[in-house]
Every structure is written in structure tokens, then in C-alpha cells.
Amino acid sequence: VEEADEDERLRREAIAAYHGVWVFVEQTEGEPARVSWELMGVGAQLAQSLQTELCAVVIGENVEHLCHEAFAHGASKAYLLDQPVFRHYRTEAYLEACCTLIGTYQPEIVLMGATGMGRDLAGAVATRVKTGLTADCTGLDVDDRRNLRQTRPAFGGNIMATIMCDRFRPQMATVRPHVMPLPERQAGATGEIVREEIPLAEADILTKVLEIIRDKKAGEVDIAGAEFIVSGGRGMMAKENFGMLQELADELGGVVGASRSAVDAGWMPHERQVGQTGKTVRPKIYIACGISGAIQHLVGMQDSDLVIAINRDREAPIFDVATYGIVGDLFQIVPAITSQLKQL
Ligand code: FAD
């Protein structure tokens, strides 16, 4: 017992210097990524439980406006590194910036979006500051020992794992876009801006950005931000049949999504895939047509406000997460719904 007490005393001593929940505000050319504000929502809850402050980390060039946006989303303090060398995201520069801030101010928790940038940066930072990192968390809360309980799907989505970083600080996690709800924006909220500058010159950075080529072609849809999604699975039987889903989506002002089976069959492009290896979506209405409801699909859509499932197998697991279930042949039901909507 004495040994355990001593162990706990040493642990508490080691973590005592760390304070604050930090959210990295991801931006590209001054445009913030929505996931940063989603993280502010969960960050505020964590900060409240730990009775500490919620801080934003803003790195870039001419990005002070993002500090004010962070205050509007719940932060009370923003660490700002505004220098030409941070104009474009480059791992070396941002790594240096984050690690300098972490070394100086010692945050208890650091959260980043599980985006291309966040995944790259979080891994590099965790390695440099010698702490743990849990990627793609779907749930975050704290226990009474100030440990961050980081929940994420594991083993192909068959179990939910809760991971903790007991002795090391900061505790770091990434969260995918659209997993956490967006907090309400409080216009005019204010906070403290802590300006920092680090001695980093362009010549110190090996990577040069020559040109930015946007991958989103004109007219391409973003299923992650859509309010209405009509998704098709293997039950659609063929690529041509997705036209029927498009017609229904058009009536609703929404977009067409797909299960991995439909994507693997070449019926839909990968950017339309919903699920663990696709996108996480949180629309107002999600209509699943001919989708069985495998766990890897469910983790990507189960937080939708309302789910309507159409499946001819009444035992299909998709009905477990559905608000409304229709047992029957989708080839009859989908056109019937579309024609009813057209009459409204
Ligand atoms: P099926 O499971 O074959 O279901 C087809 C359904 O259509 C059945 O329920 C059937 O009853 C119904 N149906 C057939 N005809 C009709 C009809 N005429 N009318 C009504 N209903 C009909 N899957 C994803 O979706 N997204 C992911 O991101 C993803 N990631 C994965 C990651 C890993 C590591 C692994 C191992 C798997 C992943 N999967 C993912 C695959 C997943 O396990 C399932 O295989 C997949 O979701 C099944 O797709 P489906 O529901 O379209 O097909």
C-alpha cells in the first residue's frame, strides 16, 4: 500500500505543473477548419471538469482574426504565433512552434482535428515532447485523477477502446471532423491574446511550398458537411441504380453517399464513402438504402439527427440505429418517396 501511495504521489508531482486544455486552430490561408471549433465544444467541457482554462493555439501569417473567432467559440485565451514563416503549413515549422509553446506553458491536454494537417502535426509533436497520442477519438472525458479518457473504435470497429495516458503530459488526442457537435457561436466574446515569436527563419525550413493546387474540382460534393444524405449500399445492385438516389437527394437538397461495398464495386467514388475508412457525417437526415449496417458503417453515421433505413431484411443491424425503419424492396420504396416529395 505504501509503495502504491508513493507511486501516486510521484505521479501527481509529475503532472502538477500542467494546466489548461489547448485546441490547435487549423487554418489554410487564414480560413479556419470547422473541426477546430467542434473541438472547442468538447474542450470547454473538459476544461470545466478540470477547472482549468480553454486555450486556442493559432499559428500562421495574418491570423489574429482567428483568436477572436476562437473566443467566440469558447476559448478564454489564445496563443498566437503570427510570422511569415508560418504562412503555409509545413511540419518542421509548425512542430517547432507547437513544441516551443508546450515547453513554455505546459498544457494538460492538447486536441487537434484528425485531418491531414492535424494527423501529421499531432504525431510529430507527441514524439518530440515524449507523450502519448490517441488518434481518431470519438469520445473524450476526464476521470477523477485528471486523466483524459480517450475512446475510439479498435479492431476494425468491433470494440470501443478507452485509452489513457496516465503519467505523461500533455495528453494528446485527434478527433475527426463532424464527430463532435459545433458549439454555439457567441459573437463579441473576448479573451486574452498571448503573442509569441520564435527565432525561425525561412532558411531553417527544408520544405518549400511552390504552388497550392486544390483537389476539390468545381461542383464536387462534400458529404461531410451535408444536411441531407441518401446513401446506397450493395443492395443497390448496380451503378446505374444510384440515379434513383440522386433524384431523391435532389428533392431534399442533399447529396448521395455510399457504403464501402458500393464504393469497392466501383458504383460510387471513395469521397462519397461513409464510415470508419470513409467520412464521418452528421446530417439532419440520413437515408440508408440497401445498407446492412456493419459497425464500420455505423461509426460514420450513427450521430445523424434522424436515420431512415430501407432494407428488405428486417433483422439488418441498420434498424438498431434507425429512427424510422422501412422493411421492403428499395426499388419500390425509394421512387415512391421521391414521387410523394415531388407532389409537395
Ligand atoms: P451488405 O452488408 O452486403 O448489405 C447489403 C444490404 O442490402 C443487406 O442488408 C440486404 O438485405 C439489403 N438489400 C439487398 N437488396 C435489397 C433491396 N432490393 N431492397 C432493400 N434492401 C436490400 N463499410 C462502410 O460502409 N464504410 C467504411 O468506412 C468501412 N470501413 C471498413 C473498415 C474495415 C477495417 C473493415 C474490416 C470493413 C469496413 N467496412 C466499411 C465494410 C463493412 O464491414 C461492410 O462490409 C460494409 O459496410 C457492407 O456494405 P453494405 O451494407 O452496402 O453491404
Side-chain angles (χ1 to χ4, degrees), residues 287-329:
I287 308 182
C289 309
I291 294 177
S292 60
I295 182 74
Q296 296 88 356
H297 188 81
L298 300 185
V299 293
M301 47 63 72
Q302 63 196 1
D303 289 330
S304 306
D305 290 349
L306 191 141
V307 175
I308 301 171
I310 305 169
N311 198 304
R312 66 180 177 196
D313 172 11
R314 64 173 61 246
E315 303 296 326
I318 190 76
F319 289 127
D320 297 342
V321 299
T323 325
Y324 299 105
I326 306 173
V327 179
D329 183 0

Side-chain angles (χ1 to χ4, degrees), residues 100-342:
T100 305
L101 289 177
I102 290 173
T104 313
Y105 297 102
Q106 301 194 298
E108 199 164 6
I109 292 173
V110 177
L111 306 177
M112 296 191 190
T115 56
M117 188 190 295
R119 285 181 166 144
D120 179 57
L121 183 60
V125 171
T127 309
R128 173 81 71 87
V129 302
K130 295 193 169 56
T131 190
L133 165 69
T134 306
D136 288 357
C137 295
T138 52
L140 294 171
D141 63 358
V142 285
D143 70 6
D144 53 9
R145 300 174 76 229
R146 301 187 78 84
N147 277 335
L148 181 63
R149 275 196 297 244
Q150 306 161 94
T151 304
R152 56 153 298 157
F155 294 110
N158 290 311
I159 60 161
M160 296 304 278
T162 298
I163 298 166
M164 293 199 287
C165 184
D166 194 43
R167 281 174 189 273
F168 299 97
R169 296 292 184 269
Q171 305 168 90
M172 290 187 64
T174 62
V175 178
R176 282 194 196 195
H178 299 281
V179 169
M180 302 292 172
L182 197 61
E184 210 169 298
R185 189 177 179 281
Q186 306 290 338
T190 54
E192 180 196 353
I193 299 180
V194 180
R195 285 167 216 278
E196 287 286 339
E197 203 174 320
I198 62 169
L200 193 66
E202 195 50 48
D204 300 327
I205 311 295
L206 295 176
T207 319
K208 306 282 168 230
V209 176
L210 302 179
E211 190 188 353
I212 294 181
I213 302 165
R214 304 199 175 274
D215 71 345
K216 195 168 276 180
K217 299 165 203 84
E220 199 171 283
V221 296
D222 170 23
I223 61 164
E227 293 201 333
F228 300 95
I229 300 177
V230 183
S231 257
R234 206 198 304 267
M236 294 307 297
M237 308 303 286
K239 187 175 185 166
E240 309 77 76
N241 296 332
F242 275 79
M244 183 200 305
L245 302 189
Q246 187 63 57
E247 221 183 306
L248 174 53
D250 289 345
E251 278 307 309
L252 294 166
V255 299
V256 175
S259 73
R260 177 156 146 184
S261 298
V263 170
D264 286 352
W267 303 339
M268 275 281 143
H270 181 259
E271 62 265 18
R272 302 286 185 108
Q273 185 180 316
V274 173
Q276 188 187 327
T277 42
K279 301 230 169 92
T280 303
V281 298
R282 213 190 169 104
K284 286 191 175 143
I285 301 183
Y286 187 86
I287 308 182
C289 309
I291 294 177
S292 60
I295 182 74
Q296 296 88 356
H297 188 81
L298 300 185
V299 293
M301 47 63 72
Q302 63 196 1
D303 289 330
S304 306
D305 290 349
L306 191 141
V307 175
I308 301 171
I310 305 169
N311 198 304
R312 66 180 177 196
D313 172 11
R314 64 173 61 246
E315 303 296 326
I318 190 76
F319 289 127
D320 297 342
V321 299
T323 325
Y324 299 105
I326 306 173
V327 179
D329 183 0
L330 71 90
F331 293 102
Q332 291 175 359
I333 295 160
V334 173
I337 297 175
T338 311
S339 103
Q340 284 291 319
L341 286 173
K342 281 189 174 156

